[in-house]
Amino acid sequence: MDQIIIHGGRRLKGDVRVSGAKNAALPILASTILGGGECVLSNMPSVVDVLTMGKLLRMLGIAVVQEGEHTVAHAQTIASTEAPYDLVRTMRASVLVLGPLVARMGEAKVSLPGGCAIGSRPVNFHLAGLEKMGASVEIEHGYIKATARRLRGGRIYFDIPSVTGTENLMMAAVLAEGTTVLENAAKEPEITDLADFLVKRGARIAGAGTDMITIEGVTELHGADHDVIPDRIEAGTYLVAGAITGGEVSVERCRPEHLEPLLVKLRESGAELAEEAGRVRLKMNGRLKGTNVRTSPHPGFPTDMQAQFVALMAVAEGTSVVTETIFESRFMHVEELRRMGADIRVEGNRVVITGKERLTGAPVMASDLRASAGLIVAGLAAEGTTEVSRVYHLDRGYERLEAKLNALGARVERRKGK
């Protein structure tokens, strides 16, 4: 099993280029199921989850070629409507093929998903929505089975904004008969990017990025070219890495408007920031200051930046409180940060952090994708060497992380497991 080794205490300085957004690339890839035209996708991140989605699409009979930042997908025919357990268990986003398959083929058999151990993320929103659109849905032997002669439009209300639920039902509604309205929909930039791609293919979608999305069904989609948006979580991780090391970094090819909740908190923490078109520059002068954070759906502070920010606050002056409102089991990195000397206590769905001047390197173990990033960020600021195990989580969502950090002056290496 691979490890990431971080030799801490080095101030980061320089420019770093952000890859395409994993969480936009995955639904966009799933949406190629909806029509037979050729789709040429650029700025695709070469990470495990995206490669896994490509493998799943090929199992369904779709021609997919993935080369670096470019992917070409052509779903002229669908040979299978089953997403098997062996693939879906490794990546929760595999459930995104459910809506497109039912919409185009009239049936789907998709294994209940797996993914990171960060709490319960039920698919009931997906299933209830499909039923409201006329599908027959049942769960049997660990698989979701859905059938429909043709989906029909309807009004669907989300009790809680669900990103994958919004994406799945928006894709399903594209080929449904009539008009579908998604109320209390998620508003993440990745949803808007999916909608933009679908509109290029001939879909009729209005309101993406707001809490009410209206989709007027069409009978078919054609191919299109599309550039995937930059990854706001990767961009945020590098900004936090610069801040925790007292550094000076410029995060290139990002969208500052997607980072605003994090930028507000970084400024409160003492970071000097300059926002430009496609770039954010960060410079630290003096010690970090503690600040409070509460995660919430977009446009709130993203839960995917919580672990990195907890690491940042572990070396900030004063006391900070970080409250997690999205996932109930997303503090597993806290115990590992304590091994590095952090003063953190968990109180229900929040952590109280008393900042220390420095952390110390230690062997630690990652529990999920963003926890991996949080521990690496902590290791950058720690005295001595930090060894992060179970970094297969990291490879699901970060492209060339070690190389990018080293280009900023860090000393990070990968130790290959046996």
Side-chain angles (χ1 to χ4, degrees):
M1 191 178 296
D2 289 5
Q3 291 180 313
I4 297 291
I5 313 299
I6 308 110
H7 305 281
R10 297 170 70 93
R11 180 174 181 263
L12 299 191
K13 185 174 182 180
D15 302 343
V16 61
R17 182 173 176 267
V18 175
S19 299
K22 170 186 84 85
N23 289 338
L26 293 173
I28 285 171
L29 276 172
S31 76
T32 63
I33 293 169
L34 289 166
E38 183 178 80
C39 298
V40 181
L41 307 173
S42 303
N43 199 30
M44 295 285 285
S46 184
V47 296
V48 169
D49 274 9
V50 172
L51 298 176
T52 299
M53 182 63 83
K55 185 176 180 181
L56 174 55
L57 293 180
R58 283 189 286 271
M59 291 185 68
L60 299 177
I62 299 169
V64 179
V65 178
Q66 295 171 293
E67 294 182 356
E69 291 188 356
H70 300 281
T71 295
V72 179
H74 198 298
Q76 190 65 41
T77 58
I78 305 293
S80 171
T81 57
E82 179 176 341
Y85 170 73
D86 285 347
L87 272 181
V88 177
R89 70 181 176 85
T90 66
M91 184 183 68
R92 185 171 185 82
S94 301
V95 77
L96 288 168
V97 304
L98 177 65
L101 282 173
V102 177
R104 182 175 175 188
M105 304 301 294
E107 63 179 26
K109 181 181 177 183
V110 179
S111 172
L112 288 167
C116 285
I118 57 173
S120 175
R121 294 185 286 179
V123 295
N124 56 299
F125 296 124
H126 310 240
L127 308 189
L130 287 174
E131 286 179 331
K132 285 188 177 180
M133 297 172 72
S136 173
V137 180
E138 59 182 19
I139 297 177
E140 188 176 275
H141 304 300
Y143 278 82
I144 303 164
K145 294 182 180 179
T147 58
R149 185 167 296 177
R150 185 184 179 189
L151 295 173
R152 60 179 182 270
R155 297 187 75 89
I156 299 169
Y157 179 83
F158 294 96
D159 291 333
I160 300 170
S162 165
V163 175
T164 54
T166 299
E167 291 165 342
N168 225 341
L169 297 179
M170 184 167 67
M171 288 187 284
V174 162
L175 296 183
E177 182 178 6
T179 300
T180 301
V181 179
L182 305 179
E183 298 182 87
N184 198 29
K187 298 180 282 190
E188 274 68 8
E190 294 79 13
I191 291 171
T192 302
D193 202 36
L194 171 62
D196 289 345
F197 174 59
L198 291 170
V199 168
K200 288 179 182 178
R201 300 189 66 195
R204 297 175 182 173
I205 303 172
T210 75
D211 61 3
M212 182 174 290
I213 304 175
T214 302
I215 308 104
E216 184 181 342
V218 298
T219 56
E220 62 180 4
L221 298 183
H222 51 72
D225 298 352
H226 186 72
D227 289 335
V228 173
I229 59 172
D231 194 314
R232 61 194 172 103
I233 304 303
E234 184 191 9
T237 300
Y238 292 125
L239 288 170
V240 170
I244 202 170
T245 62
E248 186 175 351
V249 301
S250 178
V251 177
E252 309 285 331
R253 203 176 71 170
C254 68
R255 294 195 183 178
E257 65 272 22
H258 293 170
L259 297 166
E260 197 55 38
L262 173 64
L263 300 184
V264 168
K265 291 301 175 180
L266 285 172
R267 285 192 175 99
E268 288 181 12
S269 302
E272 180 182 316
L273 297 171
E275 300 174 44
E276 305 169 20
R279 175 188 297 123
V280 176
R281 299 182 186 275
L282 175 144
K283 184 177 181 180
M284 285 302 304
N285 294 305
R287 190 177 172 194
L288 286 156
K289 301 178 182 127
T291 189
N292 298 336
V293 159
R294 182 182 182 88
T295 67
S296 61
H298 190 79
F301 191 93
T303 181
D304 281 354
M305 283 301 305
Q306 181 253 103
Q308 300 92 309
F309 205 84
V310 168
L312 184 69
M313 291 298 95
V315 295
E317 186 176 14
T319 299
S320 309
V321 178
V322 176
T323 305
E324 173 60 55
T325 72
I326 308 298
F327 296 118
E328 74 275 11
S329 300
R330 209 166 198 181
F331 286 137
M332 287 186 279
H333 50 282
V334 166
E335 197 60 41
E336 302 305 298
L337 289 171
R338 285 189 185 127
R339 290 173 53 79
M340 301 176 68
D343 185 349
I344 310 175
R345 68 179 186 272
V346 179
E347 297 180 350
N349 71 328
R350 70 177 195 163
V351 292
V352 180
I353 309 156
T354 302
K356 293 192 170 183
E357 286 195 16
R358 63 183 59 86
L359 301 176
T360 55
V364 292
M365 186 173 293
S367 56
D368 61 74
L369 169 56
R370 305 307 174 183
S372 305
L375 295 173
I376 289 171
V377 163
L380 293 171
E383 288 184 343
T385 300
T386 300
E387 301 176 0
V388 184
S389 299
R390 294 178 67 182
V391 294
Y392 59 84
H393 291 296
L394 185 81
D395 297 333
R396 292 182 44 235
Y398 287 90
E399 182 178 21
R400 301 177 54 250
L401 181 74
E402 308 98 283
K404 291 182 180 183
L405 288 174
N406 288 337
L408 293 173
R411 286 184 60 201
V412 181
E413 59 187 284
R414 181 178 292 255
R415 181 183 294 160
K416 289 290 185 181
K418 296 180 180 180

